[in-house]
Amino acid sequence: MKDMDKKEFEFLIIQGEGLKLEFKESFDSKNLGKEIVAFANTEGGRIFIGVEDHGKVKGIQITNKLKSEIQDLARNCDPSIHIKLDSIDNVLIVNVDEGINKPYRCSAGFFLRQGSNSQKLTTDEIRGFFNKEGKILFDESVNPEFSFENGFNKSKFEEFVKRAKLSKTISDEDILKNLGVLTENKKFKNAGVLFFCDNVEKFFRHAIITCVLYKGTDKYKIIDRKDFTEDTISNYNGAMTFLMRNLRLEYKIKAGPREEILEIPEDALREAIVNAMAHRDYNERGANIQIDIYDDRVEISNPGGLVPAIKKEEFGKKSISRNPLLFSLFKSADLVEKVGSGIGRMREAMQKVKLPAPKFEFTSFFTVTLQRPKTPQATPQATPQAELTELEGKIVSEIKANTKISRNELAKKLKIGSDTIKEYLEKLKSKGIITRVGKTSAGYWEVK
């Protein structure tokens, strides 16, 4: 780990805690030991002693005695851990390299770095984790093909920096190194490929997201399908757009502008997609993340069941990511809060709108099932509630603009297949939203 200058120090203070950075207001041997072990068991990192949790630099008195205590603490870990001490602005910096003799433990036990937290594991759990997942995790492995010249997308990186509110006071290379995705010899790790590539299929054919809309409650008839093959954030946004386009919207008109409410809470859908992307087994090359929309439910599944360190009875209470670096990038992009909190937020979001709790299944796949509300029976009312998906709304808008528009013209304008347009026109007719007057090309649409 290279020596730090003042600019990089200030950048890291602004960036805040994450996979490779921990703030400590003061020295505490027990807590410091677990952080040193967690970094050595993951991919290394830095501990700033003299900085409050929210990044306020408080400073401490740095003495030779303090430095000696910290060195002894690292040497007494099992196996011994090599650290390097540095200081800037009365902040003591503990540099911890990734260990080559994993797993490590301190007097308090075994720890792994997960996002901005250090998670404690039992001896069996941590040995099982490393035996199953490998000492070098997929997201931390160096990718020999990807480089600044081959696949790196500058605009994707700039979007990430803006989204993560990162300072540009240091070079792009240094930002990437501090994010943990670029090595000292300028080699990208797989997590960096997933986030900053121009086309993920070029490097990992299995890392795409496939979204499918079915007619009915099984996979017999496909209405719409889309594969998302860009970088991680673009694929996430694309999957969310697909869901919002094909799920019903309820329009509530109160004082002021109308309110659009998606039939399944957006928060639950977002958490499920991020969970699938952050926790999937990327070493499993035979399957993609799959998002399936049926008449009665949405299923989001990813290859890889529970991480070996988690027992079934601990699910929802304890969480370990098999992709800690990837998870850290999601956190920097403000798509997750902290490890283990997503399952609870999904449950809370569904409960809030009185929908059944999410159903979780884990075999060789991890699947989240979110039930759609039952469509109410049509009854005459003075002010009917309109329930249209985003795509249905777009079709109705085009018809209002041109009542003589053809099916092929609709398909061209909305950039989707003619068969899909036909399916949706039938849906709109069955809902009583539109009717067709005349059966020839001279006919026209009426919107009710």
Side-chain angles (χ1 to χ4, degrees):
M1 198 172 289
K2 70 170 187 176
D3 291 339
M4 185 187 307
D5 58 23
K6 187 69 180 290
K7 279 189 176 181
E8 185 178 5
F9 174 77
E10 291 172 348
F11 170 84
L12 291 172
I13 292 292
I14 295 171
Q15 177 184 319
E17 293 181 308
L19 181 70
K20 296 173 70 65
L21 185 61
E22 175 73 18
F23 294 157
K24 292 292 181 189
E25 186 175 342
S26 59
F27 171 66
D28 180 320
S29 60
K30 183 177 178 181
N31 285 329
L32 188 62
K34 76 174 187 179
E35 303 298 352
I36 290 173
V37 160
F39 281 131
N41 276 333
T42 312
E43 63 157 22
R46 292 183 171 112
I47 304 164
F48 286 4
I49 305 175
V51 179
E52 296 179 352
D53 286 347
H54 299 295
K56 182 179 179 181
V57 177
K58 183 178 178 182
I60 61 167
Q61 185 177 2
I62 301 172
T63 63
N64 289 333
K65 180 183 177 183
L66 176 61
K67 291 180 180 180
S68 180
E69 283 185 60
I70 295 173
Q71 289 284 6
D72 287 343
L73 194 64
R75 275 194 295 267
N76 289 331
C77 291
D78 182 23
S80 178
I81 298 172
H82 174 74
I83 62 171
K84 180 183 175 185
L85 300 178
D86 196 3
S87 63
I88 294 179
D89 290 350
N90 293 321
V91 172
L92 184 59
I93 301 166
V94 183
N95 297 285
V96 186
D97 288 328
E98 179 179 359
I100 59 174
N101 294 309
K102 302 177 185 179
Y104 295 85
R105 69 177 176 86
C106 60
S107 59
F110 292 96
F111 292 86
L112 273 179
R113 192 71 177 171
Q114 297 286 307
S116 57
N117 302 304
S118 294
Q119 179 77 50
K120 185 174 184 179
L121 302 179
T122 66
T123 304
D124 288 342
E125 286 171 341
I126 198 161
R127 292 193 187 282
F129 178 78
F130 282 117
N131 287 337
K132 172 69 175 167
E133 304 298 338
K135 288 191 176 184
I136 302 298
L137 305 181
F138 171 85
D139 59 338
E140 296 175 0
S141 298
V142 170
N143 191 293
E145 299 176 7
F146 188 83
S147 65
F148 285 108
E149 296 76 29
N150 182 32
F152 180 77
N153 188 306
K154 174 79 169 177
S155 65
K156 304 292 185 186
F157 171 70
E158 295 288 352
E159 288 171 17
F160 179 90
V161 168
K162 185 176 179 181
R163 183 174 188 133
K165 299 182 175 68
L166 297 179
S167 168
K168 290 283 284 181
T169 56
I170 60 176
S171 69
D172 290 352
E173 286 185 13
D174 282 337
I175 291 175
L176 289 163
K177 287 174 185 176
N178 280 297
L179 288 171
V181 301
L182 190 69
T183 67
E184 290 297 330
N185 59 351
K186 300 181 183 180
K187 300 291 184 182
F188 277 93
K189 297 179 183 178
N190 286 334
V193 180
L194 292 171
F195 263 81
F196 306 124
C197 66
D198 48 17
N199 185 333
V200 75
E201 272 193 308
K202 183 177 177 181
F203 301 94
F204 308 114
R205 293 184 59 85
H206 58 291
I208 68 174
I209 299 179
T210 298
C211 296
V212 185
L213 173 68
Y214 298 96
K215 181 178 181 180
T217 58
D218 56 32
K219 295 187 175 183
Y220 177 70
K221 185 169 185 181
I222 294 175
I223 298 175
D224 195 7
R225 173 186 169 129
K226 176 73 175 176
D227 289 326
F228 296 98
T229 62
E230 295 183 65
D231 62 287
T232 292
I233 290 182
S234 297
N235 290 349
Y236 161 81
N237 289 332
M240 277 302 301
T241 299
F242 186 93
L243 283 162
M244 295 177 75
R245 190 179 77 204
N246 289 297
L247 294 176
R248 293 187 295 271
L249 282 172
E250 180 182 348
Y251 298 95
K252 288 190 176 180
I253 302 175
K254 299 179 181 178
R258 71 180 184 181
E259 183 181 2
E260 297 181 354
I261 301 174
L262 200 63
E263 60 174 302
I264 294 177
E266 284 185 46
D267 284 349
L269 294 168
R270 292 181 191 282
E271 291 292 344
I273 294 173
V274 170
N275 186 78
M277 299 179 80
H279 294 290
R280 74 152 286 174
D281 183 355
Y282 285 91
N283 288 311
E284 173 54 66
R285 301 176 184 274
N288 309 327
I289 291 173
Q290 186 83 23
I291 299 176
D292 297 319
I293 305 175
Y294 302 91
D295 285 356
D296 62 342
R297 68 195 187 279
V298 172
E299 291 183 358
I300 299 172
S301 60
N302 60 270
L306 284 179
V307 175
I310 304 291
K311 301 181 179 69
K312 287 186 178 182
E313 59 270 22
E314 295 175 323
F315 175 72
K317 302 172 186 175
K318 185 175 183 180
S319 181
I320 296 290
S321 173
R322 56 167 50 93
N323 302 298
L325 179 53
L326 199 59
F327 187 90
S328 177
L329 294 175
F330 273 108
K331 187 176 184 299
S332 295
D334 200 28
L335 289 173
V336 294
E337 290 185 17
K338 59 181 181 179
V339 68
S341 61
I343 302 301
R345 284 199 296 274
M346 272 187 259
R347 287 171 171 157
E348 184 180 341
M350 296 295 279
Q351 183 182 33
K352 193 173 181 180
V353 294
K354 297 180 171 58
L355 283 174
K359 180 182 176 184
F360 302 99
E361 299 174 85
F362 20 83
T363 52
S364 58
F365 278 77
F366 182 97
T367 303
V368 181
T369 300
L370 302 171
Q371 291 293 327
R372 300 176 68 177
K374 294 180 180 178
T375 306
Q377 294 294 322
T379 53
Q381 12 180 358
T383 308
Q385 285 283 350
E387 281 197 356
L388 300 177
T389 67
E390 185 176 339
L391 180 56
E392 288 171 338
K394 288 180 179 179
I395 292 172
V396 170
S397 295
E398 293 294 342
I399 289 174
K400 282 182 178 179
N402 177 12
T403 58
K404 290 183 174 289
I405 194 167
S406 69
R407 193 171 79 198
N408 288 336
E409 287 171 332
L410 278 169
K412 187 175 180 180
K413 275 184 170 290
L414 299 177
K415 297 180 181 179
I416 55 179
S418 180
D419 288 342
T420 300
I421 291 293
K422 180 180 179 182
E423 189 76 41
Y424 274 88
L425 290 173
E426 292 300 322
K427 281 187 178 184
L428 289 168
K429 286 195 282 186
S430 67
K431 288 182 180 181
I433 305 296
I434 62 172
T435 56
R436 181 72 181 174
V437 179
K439 295 184 178 181
T440 66
S441 58
Y444 60 92
W445 297 102
E446 280 188 352
V447 179
K448 297 186 179 180

